[in-house]
Each structure stands twice: as C-alpha cells, then as structure tokens.
Amino acid sequence: MVIKKIGVIANIEKDQSPLHVGHLLQWAARQNVTVFLEQEIARKIGNSPGYTIGRLKKMTELLVVIGGDGTLLRTARLVKDVPIPIMGINLGVFGYLTEVNLNEMTSVMELVIQGQFRTETRMMLDVLIRRGQNKPVTHSVLNDVVINRGSLSRMVSLETFVDGRFLTTYRADGLIVSTPTGSTAYSLSAGGPIILPTQELIIINPICPHTLTNRPIILPSSSRISVTLWTKEKGATVTLDGQESFTLKTGDTIEIVQSRFATNLVASQHHDYLE
C-alpha cells in the first residue's frame, strides 16, 4: 500500500513541535506526499489549513503523531472507529507507544510511504460507569482504567466480579485494570507484569492492597469485569488513560470489557519491543 495522504497531529505544548512538523512538511513536499495538519498545530505554524481529528481520520491513509505517549493515547481514542495506522514520533521521555525517534523520522517515513511497514494491533477496553438509574457514561481506553481514593487518606473498598462471579473486595488505595499496552504504564509502577502488547489479555492490579494475598491477576480478554465502590468518604475517582477523570460516589459501578475497536500502531523499523 503506497501512502500519499498523511495526517499530522502534534503536542503543541512541546516547544519544538512546530519545528519538527515544518521539517516533515518539507520532506513530504519532496516526496510528493500531501500532508493535512490537525487544527491546533496548524494554528501554531500559521501557514497551513487545519482539520479536526474527526476529519483527518477520514481524509488520510496514515496518522503521524508527534509528541509523547499521552498525545498518542488521546489520538487512539478519537480515531478508534477507523482502522487507520498510527505512527508515533517521540518527543517525550520514555516513548513506549511513540516508538520512532526524531533522528530516524525521515528514514522510517521513506519506508512507510512505500508500504514497507508493519502494524501492531493493540486491544482496547470499553468502560461503562453506572450510577443508580442515571444514563451510564461510556468511554474507551488503550492503556488503563484506574480507580483510586483521590484525595482521601483512607482506603476504599472495591467489590469486584469477573463474568458475574465474585472475585474479591479489594481494600486498597485503588485498582488498575489494564490492557497489555498499559502493562508498562501505571500498572508496572504498582508491581504489575510486563506483557507483550500484541497479546489480548486484561490485568487487574490492586494499588497498595491491605491484604497481602491480593496480587495482580491476568484474565482472558473475553472477561467482563465489574467493580463497585463502597466508601463512606468522598473524593474517589476513576481515571481513563490518565487523561479523563470522573468523581465516584459510593455504590457507583464500573464495568469493563474488551472493546470491539482496536488501535493499529506502526512498529518501528529499527527497534523491537523486547529491546
């Protein structure tokens, strides 16, 4: 598949973003490749029209994300309904998701536009937040769902079911439900396992559990997880991919299942995951 239309999304909070996007535009012009910019970086540069991500995903054959993992996570959620490949250029620190480094951007792009690339399919999770008879709030994540005590100084109780069967009531600072992609995010810091990101599994990982036998659990991707918050305090939260947060009340239930959507990431030509 030869690629002629590229969409570019960049983290405008990074000072060097306009410079690197400019270099990409110059390179694309020499390659006879059309580049469409997301509206925020277009405004920052000031000499190109900009488009919403919703339009970019329909206009282009490849999305290039210039920034850190957070920028890529946001993009993945917004384009989840379109199987467009996403290529991450790392301006962040670790770059677990944005695998391509700046010094190899053009060399990798030259291969990609000729169709010489492979993608990795990363599973996502759908999250449904229920409160009484209110309409549920629904979202999707690529990394993780984190339920925590927020600003509370006390542990929370999280009654957890898997496929309708009682698992346990975690008394802990919180609970992380993660995809394999998210295994190297918050879950790793909380003592969770590293899982190859192309696997289809779900990790349940308690944060600072009160009971020593509450260890991380790896479940099949077909599992349906239900977590109900029980606490007398206020301020517990659920956070999605570390970017969207909702305040929880006692009795609220979070239901988590594998999404029918997935993220397709362009794998680096020069590195592999184990490296």
Side-chain angles (χ1 to χ4, degrees):
M1 173 185 175
V2 176
I3 291 176
K4 288 295 184 181
K5 293 182 290 184
I6 296 173
V8 174
I9 300 160
N11 182 354
I12 61 171
E13 301 299 323
K14 304 285 186 180
D15 294 337
Q16 296 299 308
S17 289
L19 175 65
H20 298 305
V21 172
H23 290 163
L24 183 59
L25 288 170
Q26 294 170 7
W27 171 85
R30 295 193 297 269
Q31 303 295 325
N32 197 29
V33 172
T34 304
V35 176
F36 301 92
L37 299 183
E38 195 264 338
Q39 55 191 5
E40 290 186 356
I41 190 62
R43 282 196 294 266
K44 195 82 171 179
I45 293 177
N47 62 351
S48 300
Y51 304 88
T52 64
I53 296 180
R55 290 193 63 189
L56 283 182
K57 67 184 181 182
K58 298 175 182 177
M59 298 166 56
T60 58
E61 300 157 323
L62 170 75
L63 287 179
V64 175
V65 176
I66 299 178
D69 287 349
T71 310
L72 196 146
L73 286 170
R74 169 177 168 264
T75 301
R77 293 197 304 275
L78 292 174
V79 305
K80 64 180 183 179
D81 57 329
V82 176
I84 187 169
I86 302 172
M87 175 177 165
I89 309 293
N90 184 31
L91 290 186
V93 179
F94 293 111
Y96 282 110
L97 297 176
T98 49
E99 290 189 353
V100 179
N101 295 321
L102 279 172
N103 60 1
E104 60 187 12
M105 176 174 68
T106 55
S107 63
V108 173
M109 287 295 300
E110 287 173 1
L111 295 173
V112 168
I113 63 173
Q114 297 170 22
Q116 299 180 34
F117 68 94
R118 64 181 178 87
T119 59
E120 294 181 347
T121 301
R122 306 287 187 89
M123 68 169 281
M124 303 180 75
L125 296 173
D126 286 340
V127 186
L128 189 148
I129 305 170
R130 294 186 183 275
R131 174 172 295 169
Q133 300 301 313
N134 297 338
K135 183 179 179 180
V137 176
T138 58
H139 286 272
S140 298
V141 298
L142 175 57
N143 256 6
D144 52 33
V145 182
V146 178
I147 307 165
N148 62 39
R149 65 185 187 179
S151 59
L152 299 177
S153 60
R154 296 184 179 180
M155 292 182 293
V156 291
S157 295
L158 299 167
E159 187 181 50
T160 304
F161 287 78
V162 177
D163 295 332
R165 294 175 293 175
F166 178 69
L167 175 65
T168 189
T169 296
Y170 292 102
R171 286 182 51 77
D173 285 357
L175 189 68
I176 305 165
V177 181
S178 168
T179 66
T181 297
S183 71
T184 51
Y186 192 5
S187 179
L188 180 62
S189 299
I194 296 174
I195 296 177
L196 292 178
T198 52
Q199 300 300 302
E200 295 196 350
L201 301 166
I202 301 175
I203 308 162
I204 297 181
N205 190 5
I207 305 168
C208 298
H210 179 67
T211 303
L212 293 177
T213 53
N214 285 162
R215 299 294 95 194
I217 298 175
I218 298 173
L219 299 171
S221 61
S222 59
S223 302
R224 302 183 65 88
I225 300 163
S226 175
V227 182
T228 301
L229 172 71
W230 299 111
T231 178
K232 296 179 181 179
E233 309 290 339
K234 296 181 180 179
T237 62
V238 56
T239 305
L240 311 177
D241 275 348
Q243 296 180 333
E244 297 182 73
S245 182
F246 301 89
T247 301
L248 298 174
K249 295 181 179 179
T250 189
D252 288 353
T253 296
I254 298 93
E255 298 176 4
I256 303 165
V257 297
Q258 181 178 11
S259 177
R260 63 187 178 93
F261 302 114
T263 297
N264 296 296
L265 296 184
V266 176
S268 170
Q269 313 285 24
H270 305 301
H271 313 283
D272 63 37
Y273 187 79
L274 294 180
E275 179 185 351

